[in-house]
Amino acid sequence: MNPARRAAHRSAQLAHEYSLFTLADATSPRGCRDFVRAALFTHDREPLGMPAALCTSELVTNVHLHAKGTAMLRIRLSPARLRVSVFDESPDPRRWRMCGGSRTGERGGSLRACGSSWARSNG
């Protein structure tokens, strides 16, 4: 796009969001990994493919193991950040437990990739 035609209030690249609904079963992690890799490939962000696939696999597997019903995978891709979130439709609250000095949940929260570091987020 010609920079002269771009609106002053819009950035050069907007964030992209994708969602996928899937059953919480044993085939879900692979389908969700493929979905994330395809979204990254579409936006020329292939170097993030393997770490994002690992994160996605962990989150979706937790839903498969600890929740019932369907899971929703949400990807938000901006120029500076990739956020992969997984939600389940279970009405049961998360059960937290202490493990190795850090707080971990059986139905996991979300993992956030910021550059080369990983962090867990509850929101």
Side-chain angles (χ1 to χ4, degrees):
M1 176 179 216
N2 183 348
R5 295 187 60 200
R6 187 175 18 174
H9 66 283
R10 292 202 174 172
S11 63
Q13 291 180 317
L14 301 175
H16 301 278
E17 289 193 25
Y18 300 95
S19 297
L20 176 70
F21 291 87
T22 182
L23 294 176
D25 65 12
T27 63
S28 298
R30 180 177 180 167
C32 291
R33 283 192 309 262
D34 291 346
F35 183 77
V36 169
R37 281 195 294 249
L40 292 171
F41 179 78
T42 300
H43 295 285
D44 296 323
R45 304 286 291 274
E46 292 174 60
L48 294 175
M50 291 307 291
L54 176 64
C55 168
T56 301
S57 185
E58 179 68 25
L59 293 170
V60 177
T61 299
N62 283 343
V63 170
H64 165 61
L65 294 175
H66 303 290
K68 302 172 186 85
T70 61
M72 183 184 86
L73 169 68
R74 183 182 303 157
I75 305 165
R76 181 170 170 79
L77 183 62
S78 69
R81 181 173 295 154
L82 166 66
R83 183 177 182 135
V84 176
S85 304
V86 177
F87 305 91
D88 62 68
E89 64 179 12
S90 177
D92 302 329
R94 289 186 194 147
R95 294 184 312 220
W96 294 99
R97 61 188 166 137
M98 296 302 286
C99 180
S102 65
R103 194 171 165 190
T104 61
E106 292 181 0
R107 285 183 35 229
S110 63
L111 297 175
R112 193 177 340 168
C114 300
S116 62
S117 64
W118 294 89
R120 190 164 137 265
S121 170
N122 293 324

